[in-house]
């Protein structure tokens, strides 16, 4: 499999023994990559050089606090995003366990319910 390591699901980065029997890209690996992408968009993280492992729940919460501080300093409204629900969704999307990630259909419903405006 090819891709940017910081956006690749952990199961795609597992070395030869497991990679030989792993099916490669799956809907779960796509959900993972989208979760990392959404995290980068919302936290305004530079995606061009992203090579680290996925953000932890603590890192997600810190990123949201930083965004809130920037928005408040700029006196811009936050837009009413349910941050707890968004953090929970991103944590599930970036789970190391592919079976813990939401399906594409469930992800779509969750995103629609959040009414994100990134």
């Amino acid at each position: 499999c090819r891709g940017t390591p910081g956006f690749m699901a952990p199961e795609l980065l597992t070395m030869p023994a497991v990679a030989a029997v792993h099916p490669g890209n799956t809907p779960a690996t796509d959900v993972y990559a989208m979760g990392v992408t959404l995290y980068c968009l919302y936290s305004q993280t530079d995606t061009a050089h992203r090579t680290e492992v996925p953000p932890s729940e603590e890192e997600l919460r810190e990123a949201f606090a930083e965004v809130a501080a920037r928005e408040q300093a700029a006196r811009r409204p936050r837009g009413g995003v349910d941050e707890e629900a968004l953090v929970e969704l991103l944590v599930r999307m970036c789970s190391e366990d592919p079976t813990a990630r939401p399906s594409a259909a469930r992800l779509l419903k969750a995103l629609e319910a959040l009414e994100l405006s990134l």
Side-chain angles (χ1 to χ4, degrees):
C1 293
R2 293 176 30 179
T4 304
F7 290 85
M8 293 175 68
E11 63 270 23
L12 296 177
L13 298 173
T14 307
M15 286 302 121
V18 174
V21 297
H22 194 273
N25 290 328
T26 65
T29 62
D30 292 339
V31 166
Y32 179 93
M34 185 174 182
V36 175
T37 301
L38 288 174
Y39 162 76
C40 290
L41 285 171
Y42 195 81
S43 66
Q44 300 174 6
T45 302
D46 179 8
T47 60
H49 303 290
R50 182 166 176 75
T51 57
E52 65 271 14
V53 295
S56 67
E57 186 171 350
E58 181 180 328
E59 289 170 314
L60 287 170
R61 293 186 190 288
E62 288 173 6
F64 289 119
E66 289 173 17
V67 170
R70 282 195 302 265
E71 296 295 312
Q72 186 175 28
R75 299 180 193 266
R76 291 188 291 228
R78 296 292 317 270
V81 173
D82 181 348
E83 291 181 357
E84 289 299 317
L86 181 56
V87 168
E88 174 58 30
L89 179 60
L90 292 176
V91 167
R92 286 185 294 142
M93 290 174 74
C94 295
S95 173
E96 289 187 16
D97 177 4
T99 63
R101 297 178 202 140
S103 67
R106 287 182 189 243
L107 176 58
L108 179 59
K109 286 181 182 181
L111 291 172
E112 287 172 342
L114 285 171
E115 298 177 356
L116 290 179
S117 58
L118 297 172

